Amino acid sequence: MERGVITDEGVLSGDKSGKIITACHRPLPLITAHHRLQPLVTAYHPMKTPHLLIIRFSAMGDVAMTVPIVYSLARQYPNVRISVLSRPFAQPFFQDLAPNVCFMAADLKGEYKGLMGLNRLYRRLVAKQPTAVADFHNVLRTRYLRLRFLLGGYPVAHINKHKKGKRQLCRKENKVFAQQPTSFRNYADVLGQLGYPVKPDFKSIFPQEGGDLRNLPNIIGVKRPDECWIGIAPFAAHAGKMYPQEKMGKAISLLTKQHPSWRIFLFGGGRQEIEVLNGWAAQYPQCLCVASVLKGLDKELTLMSHLDTMLSMDSANMHLASLTGTRVVSVWGATHPYCGFMGWNQKAEDAVQITTLPCRPCSVFGNSPCHRGDFACMNNILPEEIVQRIEAGLLSGQKTRR
């Protein structure tokens, strides 16, 4: 119904390019008792205080990437109320972001599950009296909510994910090797379509001094001015984005031997991942498994804000560390920064990758099987190269981005 469909209730205009979609009335006949269709109810009124509803449900890294744009929007439009609708895990990203930003949690596996749940969620959202809706996700759930808002007469815009360009970049043959628009740019474009152009201006979700370490357990302690804290997040959602475990263990061994005074914090979650991290922590006294001592995303973000460097895959932890203003050395295998998912404000020289393999990238998300069968894009990266890349930024004074 996004291409201009005439219904008994009005003319729906819009297209699939992400442009604003509105609902326009045509004269309705007199409603009598035998009419089953109800007239279109227009909830939007241009005289209301501007209230922008932004929707992005998952995944964690993608939700984290909305933060710099939402922050910039809030700073540049202080008189606009902004509500961010996402899953409960995302609350720490937005709870103290700006005075005019509020967070709304939606349990899509419980209270708002299925079509009835989405209808219930829509009624809850309408009660908040938004004046425009920005769909940063553009999946089945958000398309349905978008349709409901459209029928209610609200200005609506949705993200263009530029899937065609990404497919051309990742196809097996005749790749079109071109940088795709970043997710940050795509989110900002949605706001621009709704009449809120933004200039991204974001450094960290924390003040310049970082989060308050006093809120963390004593085992973390206070960071001395001469200390160097390194974070390592060796896991990702898909195998194509993970550096081999044996090689990562070698990189950790090199770091501990070459820099015995450095503290190394290992990030990960889930039983199997924690077992691996605790194994490394038992082997190397400088290492600590963060999940064993910190409970909650907000505490992990506080710790990340004090790291001198985070070593991460193309994963959520790259984006979490970026939100705290911390430098990230990222390792790329099946995926590529050209797909548009590099962490906020990170430098290209901090991306560790094999640039001579014609098969790269072979996947947008890292979930495709290796065409070669030998996973050369990760196996050919030496642990020594990763350690050198970490050291290079620290020696040049590139500790953090706060």
Side-chain angles (χ1 to χ4, degrees):
M1 299 183 68
E2 297 178 353
R3 296 186 64 85
V5 180
I6 299 178
T7 72
D8 288 336
E9 297 153 315
V11 180
L12 311 183
S13 62
D15 59 29
K16 296 183 178 179
S17 64
K19 297 182 183 300
I20 300 176
I21 302 172
T22 58
C24 308
H25 285 289
R26 63 187 175 96
L28 292 170
L30 179 65
I31 302 297
T32 60
H34 69 274
H35 278 78
R36 294 184 179 181
L37 293 175
Q38 297 298 316
L40 182 63
V41 178
T42 305
Y44 168 71
H45 192 282
M47 297 305 292
K48 285 183 178 179
T49 301
H51 179 193
L52 184 59
L53 172 64
I54 296 174
I55 306 174
R56 177 77 208 201
F57 290 130
S58 63
M60 181 178 288
D62 295 291
V63 177
M65 294 179 81
T66 70
V67 172
I69 303 305
V70 173
Y71 172 84
S72 302
L73 173 71
R75 289 259 307 192
Q76 293 162 35
Y77 299 90
N79 296 323
V80 175
R81 291 174 56 205
I82 303 165
S83 293
V84 178
L85 176 69
S86 189
R87 295 178 187 261
F89 72 77
Q91 183 170 349
F93 298 154
F94 302 98
Q95 58 187 3
D96 297 315
L97 192 63
N100 55 330
V101 174
C102 71
F103 178 78
M104 301 173 65
D107 181 4
L108 299 176
K109 295 184 178 180
E111 184 179 4
Y112 301 117
K113 182 179 180 180
L115 187 60
M116 292 182 62
L118 289 177
N119 287 330
R120 189 179 303 116
L121 177 58
Y122 171 73
R123 291 192 292 270
R124 173 192 171 195
L125 297 174
V126 167
K128 301 294 183 179
Q129 298 184 319
T131 55
V133 179
D135 178 3
F136 279 10
H137 204 168
N138 194 19
V139 293
L140 189 59
R141 285 189 181 97
T142 61
R143 289 169 192 161
Y144 179 75
L145 291 173
R146 223 165 64 210
L147 176 63
R148 293 298 308 269
F149 279 110
L150 168 65
L151 294 174
Y154 295 83
V156 176
H158 65 273
I159 188 171
N160 179 353
K161 298 179 181 179
H162 300 278
K163 291 184 177 181
K164 181 179 179 181
K166 291 173 183 176
R167 284 195 300 267
Q168 292 174 340
L169 174 63
C170 296
R171 63 194 180 192
K172 191 172 182 179
E173 298 177 349
N174 300 317
K175 294 179 181 292
V176 180
F177 205 72
Q179 173 70 58
Q180 298 302 300
T182 67
S183 292
F184 308 110
R185 181 69 267 161
N186 294 338
Y187 294 146
D189 286 346
V190 177
L191 299 177
Q193 292 157 17
L194 289 170
Y196 298 101
V198 296
K199 180 180 179 181
D201 179 21
F202 173 81
K203 293 183 178 180
S204 172
I205 58 175
F206 292 108
Q208 185 172 358
E209 63 273 16
D212 192 346
L213 287 174
R214 294 174 298 181
N215 294 330
L216 305 185
N218 291 335
I219 193 171
I220 301 297
V222 176
K223 184 180 182 182
R224 300 192 308 270
D226 60 337
E227 271 191 316
C228 185
W229 286 10
I230 303 296
I232 297 180
F235 302 106
H238 302 291
K241 299 199 291 186
M242 275 194 290
Y243 193 54
Q245 185 176 315
E246 180 182 351
K247 290 179 177 291
M248 181 58 76
K250 178 69 180 300
I252 293 173
S253 176
L254 288 171
L255 281 172
T256 58
K257 290 176 181 177
Q258 296 177 17
H259 304 282
S261 65
W262 286 9
R263 292 190 69 185
I264 299 175
F265 298 92
L266 306 175
F267 291 83
R271 182 178 59 83
Q272 293 182 339
E273 292 183 6
I274 292 175
E275 285 181 3
V276 173
L277 300 181
N278 278 327
W280 284 332
Q283 187 176 358
Y284 306 107
Q286 295 165 240
C287 297
L288 178 67
C289 174
V290 173
S292 296
V293 298
L294 297 185
K295 306 302 178 185
L297 179 59
D298 55 336
K299 290 181 172 56
E300 290 196 12
L301 289 168
T302 296
L303 177 57
M304 287 182 186
S305 71
H306 290 273
L307 299 177
D308 294 282
T309 294
M310 168 69 91
L311 171 63
S312 174
M313 307 300 103
D314 171 19
S315 66
N317 280 299
M318 172 178 63
H319 298 293
L320 300 184
S322 298
L323 293 187
T324 68
T326 294
R327 171 198 179 220
V328 178
V329 171
S330 52
V331 183
W332 300 75
T335 60
H336 195 286
Y338 272 19
C339 288
F341 300 115
M342 180 70 112
W344 172 257
N345 214 23
Q346 299 299 330
K347 290 188 175 181
E349 54 262 36
D350 284 330
V352 182
Q353 57 185 327
I354 302 294
T355 59
T356 55
L357 286 172
C359 57
R360 286 193 66 240
C362 63
S363 174
V364 176
F365 305 109
N367 55 350
S368 300
C370 177
H371 299 318
R372 293 168 50 111
D374 60 357
F375 200 32
C377 56
M378 282 296 195
N379 281 319
N380 288 0
I381 297 175
L382 299 176
E384 291 82 359
E385 183 180 355
I386 291 178
V387 172
Q388 290 169 4
R389 199 70 62 92
I390 293 173
E391 293 172 334
L394 296 177
L395 293 175
S396 66
Q398 188 186 344
K399 285 193 173 183
T400 68
R401 296 179 173 274
R402 286 194 299 273

